[in-house]
């Protein structure tokens, strides 16, 4: 029954009907379409065997075609007159039958890919769009200049004529090939096909001339991954701003092509590239010669393999807050910033730099980078540098300042500066984080709502317990840290010294710790009077709505009392603790100065200045990743409130009638 090479490519047990039949039931019959375009109707799986009866429509021998209508759900086939043959044993007769058949889009595409579309005759204006292996889409082609514009009803798909590298006319459509970026899909498609009625009216008359004159990338192997991206920066001394490009992964090569010009911009082995990954497909790419921004769909970045490229390891690349990259070169006299290896954008004379401060980056992907503020002349810049580069730069600038003092400052002056640095470090670690709680108490004023008060007491209660643990750790370790600094140095120069005075600091630190914990505990107890409002943020509003009038009063009362006690701790008690600490540190270190006098003066000054430099760098960093406040600003504030506290003692604020 089958011709040579004929085989079934599609069958359906339901979804079709034949009218004009007598004495032939379709109940147990299957419609089967072969690779020759022939249609058989017989019992399921009986084709190719000796069967009693079947129907056949032979496509090549007959002139009938399948009238088809494209709708949103698929293809409706309704043909009034098809010349079937009815075969029963040796008996054959021709029948004029009407066929109704419903195909979904995937079934239609499957048939079309094997047979082509010549057996279909589309009679309505709907069009099928098929892009590579993606699901077919129903819509219409609209008239447009220099492009095919396909409207699905929900989205518009544009295919620029200048992107066509070849085309092929079909019986009921057209196939175009090239590299077509579809924004909705975030994909680059290589083959696009339009199928339907009267498509030729949308094809320009001069299509051959257009395609022949188009710039072309050429054939890219099917296994190569191609994606759309945008590039800003300088590549091979040419500047780009959000330039549309294709990025191609070919084996171990990464290739960049200008999308419009179809021109290769860069082709390098993947191992030559390194990156800064800002997440969400936002990268800085560096290949030792060029540095630029690359923006790409995140899924495409993984397919291309950008996530597997090494992170930039050296300190030669920095970037702005807007994530614009640059090269940085630091020599003995200046800091130079470059757009590219050849294009300098800024030179800062080191002698004009007045300060360098360092802010921790809050983005987890930038843990090895810090925001660095450089003040010079009457200007300043803020740039993001590798942590080690920023630190070395700050050390370098401070070292030049130190070197200028090395021959002019006495050893006593240098030593007092070292004691000041120790004092700064101690008071920051003991009191800096508690002072930073001032941010919490400033959230409360006389107009604060109940919701605000509840949020603050929850935040404050948690912070109090964090600070209690923090001050325990500091009290245990601080004297040992100070002791080890001095012991290691004196051992290195071969001098035995008695450091009992520093060891005695432990007792003093524990006294300070006990006093602060009493103050913090007092605030915590105040909040615990309304412990029923210590809740997760998601539960607070509903709990507030359920409060009785008396409970509302208690929340307001104890929240504001806790606020007053915190203010009392920061502005009345801390100045006293800080003043005592500063005096204790200076008195202690003056007692061991005699050991430094026995060492060569230049050697001692160099050692102390190195320590002072480290302390300076410590002060130049922000307090934490989420803050823009520098440690040095907190330290300055601590000295300020201490000075203000002493001014109150000297004023009539505390006058009791005694000797003045």
């Amino acid at each position: 029954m089958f011709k040579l090479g004929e085989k079934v490519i599609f069958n359906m047990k339901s979804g079709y009907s034949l009218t004009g039949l007598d004495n032939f039931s379709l109940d147990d019959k299957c419609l089967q379409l072969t690779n020759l375009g022939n249609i058989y109707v017989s019992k399921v799986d009986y084709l190719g065997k000796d069967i009693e009866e079947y129907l056949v429509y032979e496509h090549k021998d007959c002139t009938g075609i399948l009238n088809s209508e494209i709708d949103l759900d698929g293809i409706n086939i309704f043909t009034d007159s098809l010349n079937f043959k009815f075969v029963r044993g040796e008996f054959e007769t021709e029948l004029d039958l009407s066929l109704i058949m419903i195909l979904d889009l995937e079934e239609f595409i499957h048939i079309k890919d094997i047979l082509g579309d010549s057996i279909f005759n589309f009679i309505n204006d709907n069009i099928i769009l098929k892009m590579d292996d993606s699901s077919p889409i129903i819509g219409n082609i609209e008239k447009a200049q220099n492009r095919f514009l396909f409207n699905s009803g929900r989205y518009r798909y544009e295919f620029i004529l200048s992107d066509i590298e070849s085309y092929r006319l079909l019986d009921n459509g057209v196939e175009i090939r090239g590299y077509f970026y579809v924004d909705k899909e975030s994909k680059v498609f290589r083959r696009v096909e339009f199928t339907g009625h009267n498509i030729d009216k949308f094809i320009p008359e001069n299509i051959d001339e257009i395609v022949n004159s188009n710039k072309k990338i050429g054939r890219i192997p099917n296994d190569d991954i191609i994606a759309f991206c945008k590039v800003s920066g300088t590549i091979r001394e040419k500047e780009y701003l959000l330039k549309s490009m294709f990025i191609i992964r070919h084996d171990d090569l990464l290739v960049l092509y200008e999308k419009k010009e179809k021109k290769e911009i860069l082709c390098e082995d993947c191992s030559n590239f390194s990156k800064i990954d800002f997440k969400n497909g936002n990268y800085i790419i560096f290949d030792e010669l060029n540095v630029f921004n690359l923006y790409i769909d995140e899924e495409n970045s993984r397919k291309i393999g950008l996530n597997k490229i090494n992170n930039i390891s050296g300190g030669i690349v920095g970037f702005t807050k807007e994530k614009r990259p640059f090269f940085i070169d630091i020599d003995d006299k200046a800091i130079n910033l470059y757009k590219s290896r050849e294009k300098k954008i800024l030179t800062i004379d080191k002698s004009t730099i007045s300060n360098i401060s360092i802010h921790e980056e809050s983005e987890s992907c930038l843990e090895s980078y810090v925001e660095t503020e450089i003040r010079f002349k009457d200007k300043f810049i803020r740039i993001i540098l590798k942590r080690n580069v920023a630190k070395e730069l700050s050390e370098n600038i401070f070292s030049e300042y130190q070197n200028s003092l090395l021959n002019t400052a006495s050893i006593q002056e240098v030593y007092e500066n070292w004691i000041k640095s120790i004092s700064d470090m101690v008071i920051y670690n003991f009191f800096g984080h508690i002072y930073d709680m001032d941010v919490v108490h400033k959230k409360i004023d006389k107009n604060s709502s109940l919701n605000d008060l509840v949020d603050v007491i929850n935040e404050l209660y948690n912070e109090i317990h964090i600070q209690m643990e923090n001050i325990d750790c500091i009290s245990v370790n601080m004297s040992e840290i100070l002791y080890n600094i001095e012991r290691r140095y004196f051992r290195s120069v071969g001098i035995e010294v008695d450091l009992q005075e520093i060891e005695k600091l432990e007792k003093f630190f524990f006294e300070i710790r006990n006093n602060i914990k009493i103050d913090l505990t007092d605030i915590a107890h105040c909040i615990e009077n309304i412990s029923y409002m210590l809740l997760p943020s998601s539960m607070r509003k509903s709990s507030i709505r359920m409060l009785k009038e008396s409970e509302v009063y208690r929340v307001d009362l104890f929240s504001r009392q806790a606020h007053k006690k915190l203010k009392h701790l920061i502005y009345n008690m801390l100045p006293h603790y800080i003043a005592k600490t500063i005096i204790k540190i200076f008195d202690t270190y003056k007692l061991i100065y005699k050991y430094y006098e026995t060492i060569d003066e230049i050697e001692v000054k160099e050692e102390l200045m190195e320590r002072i430099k480290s302390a300076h760098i410590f002060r130049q960093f922000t307090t934490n990743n989420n803050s823009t406040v520098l440690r040095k600003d907190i330290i300055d504030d601590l000295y300020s409130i201490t000075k203000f506290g002493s001014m109150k003692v000297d004023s009539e604020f505390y006058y009791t009638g005694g000797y003045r």
Side-chain angles (χ1 to χ4, degrees):
M1 182 174 65
F2 274 173
K3 294 185 172 76
L4 181 65
E6 187 175 17
K7 60 183 179 180
V8 175
I9 62 168
F10 175 75
N11 65 74
M12 60 194 314
K13 297 176 183 178
S14 61
Y16 76 97
S17 68
L18 287 166
T19 57
L21 278 174
D22 294 320
N23 301 319
F24 188 86
S25 173
L26 297 178
D27 290 344
D28 58 347
K29 304 299 190 300
C30 176
L31 184 147
Q32 299 171 90
L33 182 65
T34 75
N35 60 323
L36 299 182
N38 298 331
I39 301 173
Y40 291 86
V41 180
S42 70
K43 287 186 177 181
V44 179
D45 298 330
Y46 270 53
L47 280 183
K49 302 179 181 179
D50 295 331
I51 56 176
E52 294 181 357
E53 60 182 19
Y54 62 90
L55 294 170
V56 59
Y57 163 76
E58 295 182 333
H59 178 57
K60 286 189 176 180
D61 296 336
C62 304
T63 58
I65 55 177
L66 304 179
N67 293 326
S68 305
E69 184 178 82
I70 302 170
D71 68 18
L72 296 179
D73 298 317
I75 310 298
N76 301 321
I77 296 171
F78 47 93
T79 302
D80 291 335
S81 181
L82 281 180
N83 192 4
F84 274 86
K85 285 182 182 179
F86 173 70
V87 180
R88 178 180 287 162
E90 298 296 325
F91 173 76
E92 290 187 10
T93 186
E94 292 188 359
L95 298 174
D96 192 25
L97 303 178
S98 295
L99 171 66
I100 297 176
M101 186 164 60
I102 299 174
L103 302 176
D104 64 34
L105 288 176
E106 297 296 342
E107 290 171 336
F108 166 75
I109 294 297
H110 171 71
I111 294 169
K112 177 181 169 298
D113 286 346
I114 298 173
L115 291 179
D117 57 9
S118 61
I119 66 170
F120 300 98
N121 177 39
F122 297 102
I123 60 175
N124 66 335
D125 290 334
N126 283 346
I127 302 295
I128 300 172
L129 168 65
K130 184 73 168 66
M131 302 177 290
D132 289 349
D133 296 326
S134 63
S135 298
I137 304 168
I138 303 296
N140 299 102
I141 296 180
E142 299 178 355
K143 285 279 189 182
Q145 284 280 340
N146 304 320
R147 69 197 65 203
F148 286 110
L149 182 59
F150 182 86
N151 188 349
S152 70
R154 295 184 62 191
Y155 300 102
R156 288 188 173 189
Y157 299 81
E158 291 188 354
F159 304 93
I160 310 299
L161 295 183
S162 60
D163 286 338
I164 301 175
E165 301 201 358
S166 67
Y167 80 99
R168 180 167 64 98
L169 294 176
L170 308 172
D171 290 318
N172 287 292
V174 63
E175 175 191 272
I176 58 175
R177 289 181 179 265
Y179 303 96
F180 308 98
Y181 174 63
V182 176
D183 184 60
K184 176 188 174 294
E185 309 286 341
S186 295
K187 289 182 180 179
V188 176
F189 294 98
R190 305 183 187 211
R191 181 175 65 88
V192 175
E193 191 173 320
F194 301 98
T195 302
H197 180 61
N198 282 341
I199 287 181
D200 54 343
K201 71 180 181 181
F202 298 101
I203 301 173
E205 292 181 1
N206 62 336
I207 185 68
D208 286 330
E209 180 185 343
I210 291 172
V211 173
N212 289 335
S213 64
N214 281 347
K215 297 173 182 176
K216 299 175 177 65
I217 293 176
R219 183 182 177 277
I220 296 174
N222 291 333
D223 292 338
D224 287 5
I225 300 167
I226 179 169
F228 174 83
C229 64
K230 289 196 174 185
V231 169
S232 290
T234 304
I235 303 176
R236 293 177 178 172
E237 301 308 318
K238 183 175 179 180
E239 290 189 28
Y240 299 95
L241 179 61
L242 294 176
K243 186 73 172 180
S244 296
M245 294 196 185
F246 291 132
I247 183 169
I248 302 165
R249 178 66 180 265
H250 174 72
D251 296 332
D252 290 329
L253 293 176
L254 277 182
V255 188
L256 275 178
Y257 268 93
E258 280 192 26
K259 180 181 180 296
K260 185 177 180 180
E261 299 298 323
K262 310 295 189 294
K263 179 182 177 183
E264 182 183 297
I265 299 303
L266 199 62
C267 179
E268 298 273 357
D269 192 278
C270 291
S271 61
N272 292 342
F273 291 96
S274 53
K275 70 176 188 302
I276 300 173
D277 184 357
F278 298 106
K279 305 303 180 186
N280 300 316
N282 186 352
Y283 294 91
I284 286 176
I285 302 295
F286 173 52
D287 70 347
E288 302 300 329
L289 295 175
N290 308 286
V291 63
F292 53 91
N293 294 103
L294 189 144
Y295 311 95
I296 186 172
D297 174 76
E298 198 163 9
E299 182 180 347
N300 287 332
S301 74
R302 288 192 292 270
K303 290 178 180 178
I304 292 289
L306 294 180
N307 58 314
K308 296 180 180 178
I309 292 176
N310 292 330
N311 293 326
I312 294 175
S313 57
I316 191 172
V317 174
F319 54 94
T320 66
K321 286 293 283 184
E322 294 76 29
K323 299 180 173 60
R324 300 292 172 83
F326 55 80
F327 293 111
I328 182 167
D329 175 63
I330 304 171
D331 58 32
D332 292 339
K333 294 184 178 180
I335 301 169
N336 301 296
L337 305 184
Y338 296 82
K339 268 188 179 181
S340 68
R341 293 293 193 181
E342 303 298 327
K343 295 181 180 177
K344 186 184 292 186
I345 52 178
L346 180 64
T347 295
I348 302 174
D349 190 329
K350 283 184 175 180
S351 65
T352 66
I353 296 175
S354 58
N355 188 51
I356 295 178
S357 55
I358 300 168
H359 301 255
E360 296 282 1
E361 274 295 322
S362 58
E363 296 184 53
S364 60
C365 60
L366 301 175
E367 289 179 352
S368 60
Y369 290 86
V370 289
E371 180 183 328
T372 307
E373 180 182 279
I374 304 173
R375 291 191 173 271
F376 59 103
K377 297 181 181 177
D378 58 346
K379 305 173 185 177
F380 71 92
I381 61 168
R382 290 194 181 103
I383 52 178
I384 317 297
L385 302 175
K386 276 278 191 177
R387 180 185 301 274
N388 63 309
V389 174
K391 184 177 178 182
E392 288 171 9
L393 180 60
S394 184
E395 289 177 348
N396 182 264
I397 297 299
F398 192 71
S399 292
E400 292 185 8
Y401 167 73
Q402 284 182 310
N403 291 337
S404 68
L405 296 178
L406 191 60
N407 296 322
T408 58
S410 67
I411 187 172
Q412 292 89 350
E413 290 172 321
V414 175
Y415 188 72
E416 285 189 2
N417 266 282
W418 164 236
I419 301 176
K420 171 65 166 55
S421 296
I422 288 288
S423 174
D424 290 350
M425 185 187 72
V426 171
I427 67 169
Y428 175 80
N429 282 285
F430 267 97
F431 312 113
H433 298 293
I434 295 172
Y435 176 77
D436 210 28
M437 291 166 67
D438 184 44
V439 174
V440 174
H441 102 257
K442 284 182 178 177
K443 293 179 181 178
I444 295 181
D445 59 33
K446 64 180 181 180
N447 297 318
S448 295
S449 68
L450 202 60
N451 287 333
D452 294 335
L453 294 175
V454 170
D455 286 342
V456 167
I457 63 168
N458 275 272
E459 184 179 347
L460 181 56
Y461 192 74
N462 290 333
E463 186 65 25
I464 284 170
H465 285 84
I466 291 171
Q467 294 310 322
M468 284 183 175
E469 292 178 6
N470 183 52
I471 202 164
D472 282 342
C473 294
I474 294 168
S475 302
V476 168
N477 296 309
M478 184 59 73
S479 63
E480 184 178 354
I481 292 170
L482 300 179
Y483 176 85
N484 286 334
I485 290 172
E486 303 302 331
R487 184 186 62 174
R488 281 195 296 267
Y489 173 66
F490 285 117
R491 281 186 177 180
S492 71
V493 295
I495 298 177
E496 289 295 326
V497 296
D498 182 1
L499 298 175
Q500 287 186 43
E501 295 300 328
I502 293 181
E503 288 180 305
K504 290 177 183 178
L505 284 174
E506 183 176 33
K507 181 180 178 182
F508 173 79
F509 290 151
F510 269 95
E511 290 175 357
I512 295 294
R513 168 247 189 199
N514 292 338
N515 289 334
I516 291 176
K517 288 194 77 170
I518 289 171
D519 295 321
L520 291 175
T521 300
D522 191 27
I523 300 171
H525 285 165
C526 191
I527 295 172
E528 286 163 0
N529 286 311
I530 46 173
S531 59
Y532 48 85
M533 293 313 299
L534 297 175
L535 298 167
S537 57
S538 59
M539 299 172 60
R540 292 173 196 167
K541 286 188 177 180
S542 59
S543 299
I544 289 171
R545 286 195 293 268
M546 297 170 63
L547 290 177
K548 299 176 183 177
E549 184 178 354
S550 60
E551 290 172 327
V552 170
Y553 174 79
R554 286 174 60 83
V555 170
D556 184 82
L557 174 66
F558 289 113
S559 297
R560 295 187 183 280
Q561 278 191 3
H563 158 246
K564 290 178 181 178
K565 288 178 181 293
L566 176 63
K567 187 175 181 180
H568 171 68
L569 168 60
I570 292 172
Y571 292 104
N572 293 326
M573 301 311 297
L574 279 195
H576 172 67
Y577 301 147
I578 293 168
K580 286 182 64 176
T581 303
I582 293 170
I583 292 169
K584 186 67 175 180
I585 293 295
F586 270 82
D587 288 348
T588 298
Y589 274 82
K590 285 178 180 178
L591 292 174
I592 64 170
Y593 174 65
K594 59 188 176 184
Y595 300 119
Y596 282 95
E597 291 182 304
T598 64
I599 306 170
D600 178 73
E601 181 174 326
I602 296 298
E603 181 180 336
V604 170
K605 287 165 73 173
E606 288 177 349
E607 166 65 21
L608 294 178
M609 284 186 170
E610 192 65 29
R611 296 186 198 176
I612 293 167
K613 180 170 66 178
S614 297
H616 170 78
I617 301 304
F618 172 83
R619 288 193 295 264
Q620 299 307 108
F621 278 80
T622 50
T623 56
N624 59 62
N625 291 359
N626 298 316
S627 173
T628 59
V629 179
L630 299 181
R631 290 168 180 161
K632 76 179 187 67
D633 294 332
I634 295 290
I635 291 168
D636 290 344
D637 284 353
L638 292 173
Y639 280 109
S640 293
I641 63 171
T642 303
K643 183 178 180 181
F644 179 71
S646 66
M647 288 169 60
K648 287 195 293 186
V649 173
D650 293 336
S651 73
E652 291 189 2
F653 185 82
Y654 289 113
Y655 179 60
T656 58
Y659 175 76
R660 295 184 65 198

